[in-house]
Amino acid sequence: MSDPHLGFIGLGQIGAPMAKRWCDHPGGLTVFDVVEAATAPFAERGAHVAASPAGVAERATVISLMVRDDAQVREVMSGPDGILATASNGTVVIIHSTVEADTPAEIAALCKPHGVAVLDAPVSGGAMGAHEGTLALMVGGDAEAVALATPALERLGTLVAHLGPIGAGTRAKLARNLITFASFAAVGEASRLAEAAGVDLAKLGEVVRHSDRVTGGPGAIMLRGTAGPLPADDGLRPIFEHTRGLGEKDLTLAIGLGAELGVETPVARQAFDQLGAALGVPHRHSLDTDNPDEGDDR
């Protein structure tokens, strides 16, 4: 099992570049996609093309799925031509699709009588990370199955994080995507504010990308093992209290600018309300756009 035969099902925008990183795997690769044209580049590179998920499981003992949604995951696993129709005892199936939080555990329970282990390993890094092999993989599942799958997963990304039992990877991905899309909403609001103020948005985008590379962006404050308030003697507390003060001051100024320019800033107002708790240093505070340097415990 040092070089298990690998399988990949779902050769879309993310799945195809991921699977291509397995084409030179010593144990071989079998692929399947409902779109026949998607498999042609793999056949040209020496991979076996199966006619169904069951055909993949006839050959492969470590199988990745990157399909669209929960329904497709279930069909690929337990449909008439699904993996469980042919999978051998000891097979490991890795679900990369972003699905509902409880789906991986439900699939694992379905597979257990067949001797098939399931991991959930959604990815972060997008198409660029898939092409470059720099994805982050958030893995949930049994340690033995994770150990078996890790050499293959390490070909796909530069960070393979085992986060806990089955389902932990999916829960982590949902939390990670909350950061992404909430940030996008903030970008929309900030762009409207900057545009109304006459700022060049393309150049502002360059500044944001540059500074995020330096500071680490939102992940820079994710240094703690709990989301609760920081103890009084925690070394991070004075740093985060300082960050809270700066943030509340600058958010107040942005909200004030929005009021001056007639730009609504609901994201900024919610950020002002929640910033202290997010940093683990909640406190009594008030929003005063007329006197931005004044307030409770700034």
Side-chain angles (χ1 to χ4, degrees):
M1 294 296 288
S2 59
D3 286 321
H5 191 90
L6 304 180
F8 208 105
I9 298 171
L11 305 173
Q13 183 182 20
I14 305 294
M18 290 174 65
K20 284 178 181 177
R21 304 194 70 81
W22 284 356
C23 282
D24 62 349
H25 174 66
L29 172 66
T30 296
V31 299
F32 170 76
D33 193 278
V34 293
V35 178
E36 186 175 348
T39 64
F42 292 89
E44 293 170 3
R45 297 177 67 168
H48 177 78
V49 177
S52 66
V56 175
E58 286 178 350
R59 302 170 63 91
T61 54
V62 175
I63 305 171
S64 276
L65 312 183
M66 182 57 97
V67 295
R68 182 177 302 146
D69 53 27
D70 297 69
Q72 289 191 356
V73 169
R74 295 179 189 280
E75 179 67 18
V76 165
M77 290 302 306
S78 58
D81 293 316
I83 287 171
L84 292 180
T86 59
S88 60
N89 184 67
T91 296
V92 177
V93 176
I94 310 164
I95 303 171
H96 298 296
S97 310
T98 302
V99 294
E100 293 185 12
D102 292 335
T103 295
E106 293 171 3
I107 297 294
L110 184 69
C111 292
K112 187 173 182 180
H114 298 265
V116 173
V118 176
L119 304 176
D120 59 318
V123 304
S124 182
M128 183 181 299
H131 281 281
E132 295 178 353
T134 56
L135 293 170
L137 295 100
M138 295 158 276
V139 184
D142 177 76
E144 184 176 349
V146 172
L148 181 61
T150 291
L153 295 177
E154 287 177 338
R155 286 173 161 253
L156 305 179
T158 48
L159 176 61
V160 179
H162 184 197
L163 296 168
I166 188 71
T170 296
R171 288 171 169 83
K173 176 63 182 292
L174 297 179
R176 199 272 169 267
N177 279 6
L178 170 60
I179 296 170
T180 298
F181 295 116
S183 297
F184 288 177
V187 165
E189 181 168 295
S191 296
R192 291 189 294 274
L193 180 63
E195 186 174 43
V199 173
D200 184 319
L201 294 187
K203 289 183 178 178
L204 177 59
E206 291 179 14
V207 171
V208 172
R209 290 187 292 275
H210 175 87
S211 57
D212 277 358
R213 283 194 295 270
V214 174
T215 67
I221 68 165
M222 300 180 73
L223 303 172
R224 304 186 291 131
T226 176
L230 282 164
D233 60 350
D234 193 296
L236 285 173
R237 189 171 183 93
I239 298 170
F240 280 6
E241 286 177 341
H242 178 68
T243 301
R244 180 191 67 197
L246 290 176
E248 289 178 351
K249 175 180 72 68
D250 290 352
L251 286 165
T252 300
L253 294 172
I255 292 164
L257 180 61
E260 176 186 333
L261 297 173
V263 177
E264 295 291 331
T265 54
V267 175
R269 289 177 177 275
Q270 187 169 24
F272 180 93
D273 289 340
Q274 298 186 14
L275 180 61
L279 292 167
V281 286
H283 69 144
R284 292 181 61 249
H285 60 283
S286 61
L287 181 61
D288 185 351
T289 56
D290 293 325
N291 298 287
D293 291 328
E294 297 179 6
D296 295 330
D297 193 25
R298 280 241 172 83

